[in-house]
Amino acid sequence: MIKKMTTAIVSVMLAGIAWAQVDLNKATEMELDGLKGLGPAMTREVMREREKALFRDWPDVMQRIKGIGPKKAANLSEQGVRVKGQGYGQAPAYPPQKP
């Protein structure tokens, strides 16, 4: 009984970690490397672009990071990746900025 309860608690904790939200503007290199679909090269590109300027929204990410298009953005968003709190396909909570 105790073994089953312990297993259930650990499973819930691990599921919570797996679905934790990660903001591209704040994530560490290790957090980004842990995402399915982002390898070391793309992680470094995200970090370099973020140093130039924070990402405004998902279209900004897709424009600046080669290899992140709608499909990968949707996949990352499903893993909990956010840009300024927004998942891919969600309307921004602020008016879009002019380029």
Side-chain angles (χ1 to χ4, degrees):
M1 177 77 170
I2 292 176
K3 191 174 184 178
K4 286 183 180 181
M5 286 178 50
T6 303
T7 302
I9 291 171
V10 170
S11 296
V12 169
M13 289 173 58
L14 290 175
I17 291 170
W19 289 101
Q21 289 190 3
V22 176
D23 194 299
L24 277 184
N25 287 322
K26 298 176 185 174
T28 65
E29 188 171 355
M30 187 185 303
E31 288 172 324
L32 293 175
D33 268 343
L35 295 168
K36 184 178 177 184
L38 282 188
M42 193 173 291
T43 295
R44 284 190 299 273
E45 183 65 20
V46 169
M47 301 296 280
R48 275 193 298 269
E49 284 296 321
R50 188 174 73 186
E51 285 178 10
K52 295 175 186 177
L54 295 179
F55 297 108
R56 293 186 313 263
D57 49 25
W58 280 101
D60 185 36
V61 172
M62 292 187 292
Q63 180 181 357
R64 292 167 52 190
I65 307 296
K66 183 179 179 179
I68 297 184
K71 187 175 180 180
K72 186 168 297 270
N75 177 280
L76 293 171
S77 185
E78 288 173 7
Q79 294 181 65
V81 177
R82 301 290 181 257
V83 177
K84 291 194 174 181
Q86 298 297 312
Y88 178 71
Q90 294 178 326
Y94 57 91
Q97 296 178 353
K98 295 180 182 177

